[in-house]
Structure formats: C-alpha cells, structure tokens
Amino acid sequence: MASGPTGRPATIYDVAALAKLSIATVSRVLQGTGPVSAKARARVDQAAQELNYVPLRAARSLAVQRHEAHGLVLPDLAGPFYGDLLMGYERWVGEHGQSVIITVTHGNPDPRRSVMDLAGRVDGIVVHGNALELPTIQALQKAGVPLVLIAHPPLRSCDSVRTESAGSAQALTTRLLDHGRTNLRFVGDPSSGYDVTERYAGFAKALEARGLQVPKPVQVPLTEESGRAVAEQLLQASGSRPDGLVCANDELALAAMSVLAANGVGVPDDVVVTGWDDVMAARYVSPGLTTVRQPMAELGRLAAQRLHERVTGERSRARNDVLATQLVLRDSCGTNRGLTGAEGRGRMRQVIE
C-alpha cells in the first residue's frame, strides 16, 4: 500500500511535493495525458516509487477532489446531429478513464436548478448552443465551475469550440447566385442558436454583395415537420415562387425535397435546395443533397479535451477554437454539373460528389 509522510496512504499531493512539481503536471504523468517533459516524468516516477504510490481511480479522485466525470448539457437529443457529437465526446473521455453525465434542457421546467445540481457531481460542464440561458452560464462561471461552450458566442474567460458557419454560408449562397438563382429564401430560425445566426448572416452578406434585397428568414424549428410545412406553403403561394431554399440543416432540406418531388416540382431544375450537416441520408437521396459538412465527432472530441485541460489546470487561459467545414456539392443545387476539381476559401473547402 502507498505510504505518505504520516503513515497514511500517499496521495497525489504527496507525490507532487516530493517531486517538487505542480499537481497538474503530476496528474498528466500519472494519467498519461498531455505534454510532459522527460525530466518531469522521471521525477514523478521516482517520487511515486519512493512513496509506493498506487494511483487507484477512487483514491485519485478523492485526493484531487475530482469525480472523473464531465457534465454535458444539451438542448435536445433528437436528430443525427447530437449522435455524432456524443460519439466523439464519449470516445475521448472513455480513452482517458472518465465518464459523461448528460442533461437535456428541452422540456425541463427548471434547467438552472438541474445544472447547478449537476455541477456538484462533475468536474466541469460543457454547454451546447442555447441549452442554457446566459445568466445560468454566468452563474456557473462565478461558482468557479470549469466551462466549455459549443456553438455559442464566445464569453470572456470561457473556452468555446464551434464550426465555421458564416463564410461557408456566404460561399454556398454566392455559388447559387452565380448560377442564376436570384430569388432565394433562408429556411431556419436564427434565434435557435448562434450557428444558425451565423449561417443567415453569411446568406445575407452574399445577397448584399450583389445588391439584392435580403428577405427575412423563414423562421421555423430545424425539424422534418417544419421542412414539409415550408414546402407545402411554397406550393400554395401565389405569385413568384422562390427558386432556391437555403436550409439551416439537412432535416429541413430533405423534408422539403420530398414534398416538392411528390408534387411534381423538379429539384434542382425548378427549385434548388441546400442543407447543412451532411447527415448520412444526404448522399443517398435522389437528387443528392448539397450541404455543408461539419466535423461533429471532432467537435465533441475537442470539447472534451478542452474541458479536461481546464479541470486539471493544464491550461488557465481561455481559447476559442473554430473548426473548418466543407461545402459538399451534389445534384440538388444544380451547380456541380460539368465541374472538375475543387475550390477552397478560408475555413471552408468544397467537395464535389
């Protein structure tokens, strides 16, 4: 059994004191995570050997007052988007001997109370999008809870990770305009999340650059039901019909395409349709759905890593990570015919499939 200076079981504090290193550095050596110099690793190994320190999981958690658990707060679990995010997150924490406690705020009558309770059972919390109101996030900050935000406007002294949206949406919309589409509509509610706000901003910027009036977004939830409803309204509308739907996610786009096809409206000949996320169904429908691919598993993995860095003290300075996206051109936009090669712009790459 490990033996500390007073005859009690040795803790990570004892190892750090003997090695004359920080708790964070000793933790990285013992857990095998993060960058550590060979000299520091040797000092920790020697101290642990002298103290007969056995880094049992339960003992380690008690010694550093940690639970070895992350809290993940999501607005919902419906749809393929969250599945990929969770896969990346859980894979990272699993590889590092940790666990995840998930809290969903949609339908929760008192999300603030639930999250404050969660904060007492985990080492830190990751919040996605608009799962929590800003005052609750600020309360967690004041309480000293390590925080990482996903798809959320950056906050002072708080880590955030997101994917690029505005530039990709502008490039996608510009491509449609270049191919003669001038009566476009953005489908999705910008108030539903920061990433959707950025997508609409990119859409608007592309139209403004051509001197075109920017129509108000079709403010609907990002669901299949909403996509069908938007397409049905488009079919019933009198006057000029939009010649393109720039949808905030693939669920909206795929549902709209289904309704249009069932009513004899050609995609892309009559109406072009684009989505966002690149869910699996996007590549198998006919016509294939033009969309923007997000690295969702990587987003989840990076969020887990950033929270771990904060919890262990490996890093104290906040950082904002923005992951690149890919514009995936398929037949639903009618702009990839006769093209060869791929183009790149900023944080967005184009792929022709």
Side-chain angles (χ1 to χ4, degrees), residues 8-205:
R8 58 171 168 72
T11 69
I12 193 173
Y13 288 109
D14 298 323
V15 176
L18 185 58
K20 297 181 180 180
L21 293 168
S22 69
I23 293 292
T25 299
V26 174
S27 176
R28 289 198 296 273
V29 172
L30 296 175
Q31 296 186 51
T33 59
V36 180
S37 69
K39 184 177 180 180
R41 190 178 302 279
R43 286 164 62 180
V44 171
D45 290 342
Q46 182 177 350
Q49 185 175 355
E50 289 181 15
L51 293 170
N52 295 317
Y53 175 75
V54 179
L56 296 175
R57 179 188 175 101
R60 183 170 68 248
S61 297
L62 180 61
V64 298
Q65 296 183 334
R66 296 205 340 244
H67 305 278
E68 304 284 356
H70 291 197
L72 181 57
V73 182
L74 303 174
D76 208 334
L77 283 176
F81 174 92
Y82 295 109
D84 289 342
L85 179 74
L86 283 171
M87 184 181 300
Y89 200 103
E90 291 192 324
R91 182 174 296 166
W92 194 94
V93 297
E95 290 173 351
H96 292 77
Q98 299 165 13
S99 59
V100 185
I101 300 176
I102 300 172
T103 294
V104 176
T105 59
H106 179 71
N108 187 326
D110 193 352
R112 180 188 176 97
R113 181 175 181 178
S114 297
V115 171
M116 289 304 183
D117 175 68
L118 174 67
R121 297 184 287 129
V122 297
D123 303 312
I125 291 178
V126 172
V127 180
H128 183 275
N130 61 348
L132 294 177
E133 294 182 349
L134 182 58
T136 302
I137 294 175
Q138 291 172 331
L140 290 169
Q141 282 185 297
K142 290 179 181 178
V145 178
L147 282 176
V148 174
L149 306 178
I150 300 179
H152 190 283
L155 293 180
R156 184 179 178 86
S157 302
C158 189
D159 290 328
S160 68
V161 295
R162 61 185 174 89
T163 57
E164 195 285 321
S165 289
S168 302
Q170 182 181 355
L172 170 58
T173 305
T174 298
R175 190 174 194 90
L176 300 180
L177 295 172
D178 287 343
H179 286 75
R181 305 291 174 161
T182 58
N183 190 13
L184 302 171
R185 295 291 184 276
F186 182 89
V187 182
D189 186 359
S191 68
S192 65
Y194 178 63
D195 47 1
V196 180
T197 300
E198 289 287 282
R199 292 166 202 172
Y200 179 64
F203 169 85
K205 191 172 182 179

Side-chain angles (χ1 to χ4, degrees), residues 238-256:
S238 58
S240 63
R241 175 186 295 168
D243 57 13
L245 300 178
V246 178
C247 299
N249 74 350
D250 288 346
E251 291 179 71
L252 286 169
L254 291 168

Side-chain angles (χ1 to χ4, degrees), residues 148-332:
V148 174
L149 306 178
I150 300 179
H152 190 283
L155 293 180
R156 184 179 178 86
S157 302
C158 189
D159 290 328
S160 68
V161 295
R162 61 185 174 89
T163 57
E164 195 285 321
S165 289
S168 302
Q170 182 181 355
L172 170 58
T173 305
T174 298
R175 190 174 194 90
L176 300 180
L177 295 172
D178 287 343
H179 286 75
R181 305 291 174 161
T182 58
N183 190 13
L184 302 171
R185 295 291 184 276
F186 182 89
V187 182
D189 186 359
S191 68
S192 65
Y194 178 63
D195 47 1
V196 180
T197 300
E198 289 287 282
R199 292 166 202 172
Y200 179 64
F203 169 85
K205 191 172 182 179
L207 294 178
E208 290 169 349
R210 298 297 176 89
L212 299 173
Q213 183 175 359
V214 180
K216 292 183 179 179
V218 183
Q219 292 183 281
V220 295
L222 310 188
T223 62
E224 292 182 40
E225 293 78 7
S226 297
R228 287 194 291 268
V230 168
E232 289 167 356
Q233 291 172 7
L234 183 149
L235 292 169
Q236 297 169 7
S238 58
S240 63
R241 175 186 295 168
D243 57 13
L245 300 178
V246 178
C247 299
N249 74 350
D250 288 346
E251 291 179 71
L252 286 169
L254 291 168
M257 284 173 56
S258 176
V259 170
L260 293 174
N263 286 273
V265 177
V267 176
D269 294 334
D270 300 322
V271 179
V272 298
V273 179
T274 66
W276 200 285
D277 289 337
D278 195 28
V279 300
M280 185 178 295
R283 69 200 69 169
Y284 293 116
V285 295
S286 181
L289 176 63
T290 290
T291 185
V292 176
R293 180 179 297 158
Q294 297 194 85
M296 295 313 304
E298 172 63 14
L299 193 67
R301 185 203 68 77
L302 184 60
Q305 180 182 339
R306 293 289 176 256
L307 185 61
H308 179 74
E309 291 169 356
R310 277 304 186 103
V311 168
T312 60
E314 180 177 330
R315 179 176 50 80
S316 59
R317 193 171 182 178
R319 59 180 295 168
N320 299 313
D321 294 290
V322 182
L323 300 183
T325 55
Q326 288 182 317
L327 173 55
V328 182
L329 299 173
R330 300 190 180 103
D331 289 341
S332 74

